[in-house]
């Protein structure tokens, strides 16, 4: 039966090539970059907890949950061009950000370790990105252009960029250059108790201080000045070199340079000074100031990947990155993943990631800053810490796409779980899944 099938295929191939030659004796076959439309349905769920919230000056709950569904559609426009549309939302609930205004919690007293029930406790981020790529006839040159837009309650971002890729050495060597620009703007939101001290506010005569008794320092008078910027611009340039060394060994090297300018601090993150007497309403300490950081930041990252095919069952994937910036942070990231092919359709991939970084020059914890400083933050994302992440994934692949919905065949399913933990006390669980469909 196999011989009969092979014979039929051979005859069909001869007929097709003969017809093609009869139509145009000079035509050459060119494989399409993308044969048919593909759709990726992605979703993730993230949950974290900790006790070093930046909104409450490095002390308070970091409890947060986030659900993020995404759809990616790749459409072949012709033999050489592909349009990719990526749209997604991220809906989160944050006990930390709820305390931007801790005094709207009804009957519950304000407390940095308890979530407020106000409007700032949740938000939705939305993003839409379009990417257009063009490949040369020999598939050795690829041009890509990209536009993106994202928004949430207090933040809007517009981005554009592109890349150029060149393949050499019978496609064993690949070099690419990419650049991106993001133009962002803030809607400035200050901690609730500092708003009376902005321009036009009533200061200590505001209704807040009349509605609640002040505990500790009754002469609350923060020397607060508003932030001058509302924009944040980011410019990135990246260079990537990939090389196939042998049939089993492949590696890559990437260099990324990022320059940011504008408002780089978060307006609603509090700072408490060690040389200022504390003032409370209920259980909540009133801010001495907001986070203040330099208006420029230069980042450099150098990373490399090395993948080795051990045998038909095991593949070893490794990654390392070194990062440094002019805020005093340097970091090291190491990652290893070992896909295990347990059948033609199923692959398991356990992974481990280690990360450590030094503290920013501008970081100090709760009440460790002084009011005489120019820049200060108590955001533990800028502190010294190390982190471990353990992951486990499962991938199902159906090369024949036997299951289909509405003319789209299911090509693959990916499921992954990660557990993340910092030595500062923050921990998180992440679950992600993806379904890849191809038009039949």
């Amino acid at each position: 039966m196999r011989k009969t099938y092979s014979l039929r295929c051979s005859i069909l191939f001869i007929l097709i090539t003969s017809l093609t030659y009869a139509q145009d004796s000079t035509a050459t076959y060119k494989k399409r970059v993308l044969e048919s439309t593909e759709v990726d349905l992605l979703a993730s769920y993230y949950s974290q907890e900790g006790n070093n919230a930046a909104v409450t000056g490095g002390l308070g709950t970091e409890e947060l949950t986030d659900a993020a569904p995404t759809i990616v559609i790749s459409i072949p426009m012709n033999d050489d061009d592909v349009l990719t549309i990526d749209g997604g939302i991220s809906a989160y609930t944050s006990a930390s950000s709820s305390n931007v205004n801790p005094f709207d919690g009804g009957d519950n007293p304000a407390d940095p370790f308890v979530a407020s029930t106000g409007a700032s406790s949740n938000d939705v981020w939305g993003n839409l990105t379009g990417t257009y790529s063009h490949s040369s006839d020999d598939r050795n040159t690829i041009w890509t252009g990209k536009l993106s837009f994202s928004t949430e309650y207090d933040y809007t971002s517009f981005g554009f960029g592109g890349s150029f890729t060149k393949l050499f050495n019978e496609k064993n060597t690949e070099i690419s250059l990419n650049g991106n620009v993001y133009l962002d703007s803030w809607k400035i939101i200050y901690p609730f108790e500092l708003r009376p001290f902005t321009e036009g506010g009533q200061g200590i005569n505001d209704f807040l201080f009349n509605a609640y008794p002040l505990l500790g320092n009754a002469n609350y008078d923060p020397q607060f000045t508003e932030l001058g910027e509302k924009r944040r611009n980011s410019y990135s340039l990246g260079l990537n070199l990939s090389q196939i060394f042998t049939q089993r060994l492949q590696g890559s090297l990437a260099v990324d340079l990022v320059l940011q300018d504008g408002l780089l601090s978060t307006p609603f993150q509090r700072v408490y000074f060690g040389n200022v007497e504390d003032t409370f309403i209920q259980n909540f300490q009133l801010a001495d100031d907001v986070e203040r950081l330099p208006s420029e930041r230069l980042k450099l990252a150098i990373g490399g990947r090395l993948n080795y095919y051990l045998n038909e069952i095991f593949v070893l994937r490794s990654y390392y990155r070194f990062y440094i910036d002019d805020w005093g942070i340097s970091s090291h990231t190491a990652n290893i993943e070992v896909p295990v092919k347990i059948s033609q359709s199923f692959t398991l991939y356990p992974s481990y990631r280690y990360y450590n970084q030094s503290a920013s020059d501008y970081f100090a914890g709760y009440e460790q800053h002084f009011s005489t400083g120019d820049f200060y933050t108590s955001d533990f994302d800028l502190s010294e810490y190390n982190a471990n992440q353990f992951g486990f994934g499962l991938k199902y692949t159906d090369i024949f796409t036997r299951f289909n919905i509405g003319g789209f065949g299911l090509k693959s399913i990916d499921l992954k779980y990660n557990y993340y933990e910092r030595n500062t006390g923050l921990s998180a669980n992440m679950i992600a899944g993806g379904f890849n469909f191809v038009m039949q």
Side-chain angles (χ1 to χ4, degrees), residues 413-428:
I413 301 175
D414 273 286
L415 296 172
K416 190 160 189 179
Y417 167 77
N418 284 292
Y419 174 74
Y420 173 86
E421 187 174 42
R422 290 184 189 175
N423 64 342
T424 60
L426 184 143
S427 62

Side-chain angles (χ1 to χ4, degrees), residues 72 82-87 125 127-134 142-150 157-164 177-183 234-238 256:
V72 181
V82 176
L83 173 65
T84 301
I85 301 172
D86 181 340
W125 170 89
N127 171 262
L128 184 65
T129 300
T131 305
Y132 197 94
S133 66
H134 171 78
I142 304 168
W143 291 92
T144 298
K146 181 175 71 173
L147 290 173
S148 68
F149 177 79
S150 60
S157 176
F158 171 73
F160 59 92
S163 66
F164 172 76
L177 181 68
N178 64 81
N180 292 283
V181 176
Y182 294 95
L183 307 176
S234 300
Y235 314 92
S236 67
L237 188 64
D256 292 288

Side-chain angles (χ1 to χ4, degrees), residues 293 297 327 329 357 359-360 363 377 379-384:
L293 292 167
R297 188 178 187 183
W327 284 10
I329 293 178
Q357 76 170 34
S360 167
F363 171 81
T377 177
D379 185 347
F380 273 70
D381 286 346
L382 301 178
S383 71
E384 178 182 0

Side-chain angles (χ1 to χ4, degrees), residues 345-347 394-398 402 410-414:
S345 299
F346 289 95
T347 302
L394 173 65
K395 182 172 184 177
Y396 167 77
T397 304
D398 183 358
R402 285 167 288 203
L410 178 62
K411 191 174 180 181
S412 65
I413 301 175
D414 273 286

Side-chain angles (χ1 to χ4, degrees), residues 36-41 72 74 401 403-413 434-440:
S36 58
T37 299
E38 293 191 7
V39 177
D40 289 288
L41 301 177
V72 181
S74 300
T401 60
F403 178 78
N404 66 83
I405 301 175
F408 285 86
L410 178 62
K411 191 174 180 181
S412 65
I413 301 175
F435 297 82
N436 178 250
F437 292 88
V438 59
M439 181 177 284
Q440 294 182 320

Side-chain angles (χ1 to χ4, degrees), residues 113-135:
F113 291 96
V114 177
S116 172
T117 58
S120 59
S121 63
N122 55 75
D123 197 2
V124 176
W125 170 89
N127 171 262
L128 184 65
T129 300
T131 305
Y132 197 94
S133 66
H134 171 78
S135 299

Side-chain angles (χ1 to χ4, degrees), residues 239-303:
L239 177 67
N240 187 282
L241 175 65
S242 299
Q243 177 67 47
I244 299 175
F245 298 104
T246 68
Q247 290 183 335
R248 293 177 179 266
L249 184 64
Q250 178 183 2
S252 66
L253 180 66
V255 180
D256 292 288
L257 185 67
V258 178
L259 173 65
Q260 293 181 296
D261 69 67
L263 179 54
L264 305 186
S265 58
T266 304
F268 52 76
Q269 294 187 169
R270 293 174 174 86
V271 170
Y272 298 111
F273 297 131
N275 62 330
V276 174
E277 189 176 353
D278 300 341
T279 302
F280 292 82
I281 289 179
Q282 297 172 344
N283 301 325
F284 198 92
Q285 185 174 347
L286 305 187
D288 294 325
D289 201 354
V290 296
E291 175 183 81
R292 297 183 187 271
L293 292 167
S295 60
E296 288 191 355
R297 188 178 187 183
L298 183 63
K299 309 177 183 181
L300 174 66
I302 302 173

Side-chain angles (χ1 to χ4, degrees), residues 258-392:
V258 178
L259 173 65
Q260 293 181 296
D261 69 67
L263 179 54
L264 305 186
S265 58
T266 304
F268 52 76
Q269 294 187 169
R270 293 174 174 86
V271 170
Y272 298 111
F273 297 131
N275 62 330
V276 174
E277 189 176 353
D278 300 341
T279 302
F280 292 82
I281 289 179
Q282 297 172 344
N283 301 325
F284 198 92
Q285 185 174 347
L286 305 187
D288 294 325
D289 201 354
V290 296
E291 175 183 81
R292 297 183 187 271
L293 292 167
S295 60
E296 288 191 355
R297 188 178 187 183
L298 183 63
K299 309 177 183 181
L300 174 66
I302 302 173
R305 297 182 183 274
L306 202 61
N307 301 335
Y308 187 74
Y309 176 85
L310 295 172
N311 51 45
E312 293 182 353
I313 298 176
F314 297 100
V315 177
L316 181 64
R317 296 174 180 169
S318 61
Y319 171 75
Y320 170 78
R321 187 189 76 157
F322 172 73
Y323 166 91
I324 191 169
D325 65 31
D326 59 357
W327 284 10
I329 293 178
S330 63
S331 71
H332 302 270
T333 305
N335 187 86
I336 186 167
E337 183 178 88
V338 185
V340 182
K341 194 172 183 64
I342 58 176
S343 72
Q344 287 295 106
S345 299
F346 289 95
T347 302
L348 302 176
Y349 45 104
S351 63
Y352 170 71
R353 178 179 179 270
Y354 175 78
Y355 176 84
N356 101 310
Q357 76 170 34
S358 62
S360 167
D361 296 337
Y362 314 114
F363 171 81
Y366 168 72
E367 290 200 333
Q368 294 179 17
H369 286 291
F370 292 94
S371 59
T372 53
D374 293 324
F375 302 114
Y376 30 76
T377 177
S378 293
D379 185 347
F380 273 70
D381 286 346
L382 301 178
S383 71
E384 178 182 0
Y385 70 88
N386 60 65
N388 296 279
Q389 180 175 299
F390 303 89
F392 185 81

